[in-house]
Amino acid sequence: MYNYRNGRSNIINILKTETEVIKSKGIPKNDDAFTYKNAYLTWAGAIFIDIEDSSELFDTKDETLARLMRAFTSEIITIFQDFGNYRQIGIRGDCVYAIYDTQYQSDLVEIFSLAVITNTFMKMFNEIIQDFDYDPITAGIGLGW
């Protein structure tokens, strides 16, 4: 269980310790650049696609659900990879996300375009899965900068 006393002590130690802030033109590609004593100041953008009411969807624990989630996540990842400026793409539960370097306004426009493409994908995806007698899926699309 989380120890609040230790957590409190850790927070105070971090706030009292000098942190090297590195101004960067992008998120470092090498994870070794991140330490417990430094921080990076740079611009980053993110997109999140999160299935709504997924607890009902996940009541079914069978091969059908596995195929549905595999199709959903693999195609969303393919869309995200089209903008090659990504630092990380991942899946957390029913959410697919990507984090991008966003040094220029055009980078932000590109991430917004990914949201538009994803929204169009969801319409196509739901048409296809309905042809296979699956209920349509609703997903929230979130953007951050």
Side-chain angles (χ1 to χ4, degrees):
M1 179 175 280
Y2 180 72
N3 185 320
Y4 285 92
R5 286 190 176 130
N6 288 346
R8 178 174 166 53
S9 177
N10 290 339
I11 292 167
I12 291 169
N13 286 336
I14 289 169
L15 294 176
K16 285 183 176 181
T17 304
E18 194 168 313
T19 300
E20 177 189 13
V21 178
I22 302 164
K23 292 183 180 180
S24 176
K25 292 188 177 189
I27 302 168
K29 295 194 185 307
N30 184 348
D31 287 341
D32 293 339
F34 297 98
T35 70
Y36 288 102
K37 296 185 182 210
N38 70 7
Y40 280 85
L41 180 61
T42 189
W43 293 103
I47 183 169
F48 305 86
I49 312 302
D50 190 30
I51 295 176
E52 296 177 5
D53 299 321
S54 61
S55 56
E56 293 174 20
L57 177 65
F58 294 138
D59 281 344
T60 307
K61 293 176 175 61
D62 62 6
E63 185 181 335
T64 301
L65 176 63
R67 280 195 305 264
L68 194 64
M69 288 306 297
R70 182 174 159 224
F72 172 79
T73 57
S74 69
E75 291 307 304
I76 296 294
I77 289 170
T78 299
I79 291 168
F80 288 174
Q81 287 173 333
D82 276 349
F83 181 40
N85 208 17
Y86 62 89
R87 172 64 175 88
Q88 184 178 62
I89 295 176
I91 302 167
R92 296 293 180 271
D94 66 342
C95 177
V96 183
Y97 70 91
I99 300 169
Y100 297 90
D101 276 324
T102 54
Q103 299 306 305
Y104 307 103
Q105 286 181 343
S106 59
D107 296 332
L108 297 174
V109 171
E110 188 71 31
I111 294 172
F112 179 79
S113 296
L114 293 174
V116 172
I117 292 165
T118 301
N119 187 55
T120 304
F121 161 79
M122 287 305 301
K123 292 177 182 184
M124 176 193 72
F125 184 72
N126 278 322
E127 285 180 14
I128 292 169
I129 66 173
Q130 284 177 319
D131 289 344
F132 285 80
D133 294 325
Y134 300 131
D135 291 332
I137 294 174
T138 306
I141 301 173
L143 301 171
W145 174 59

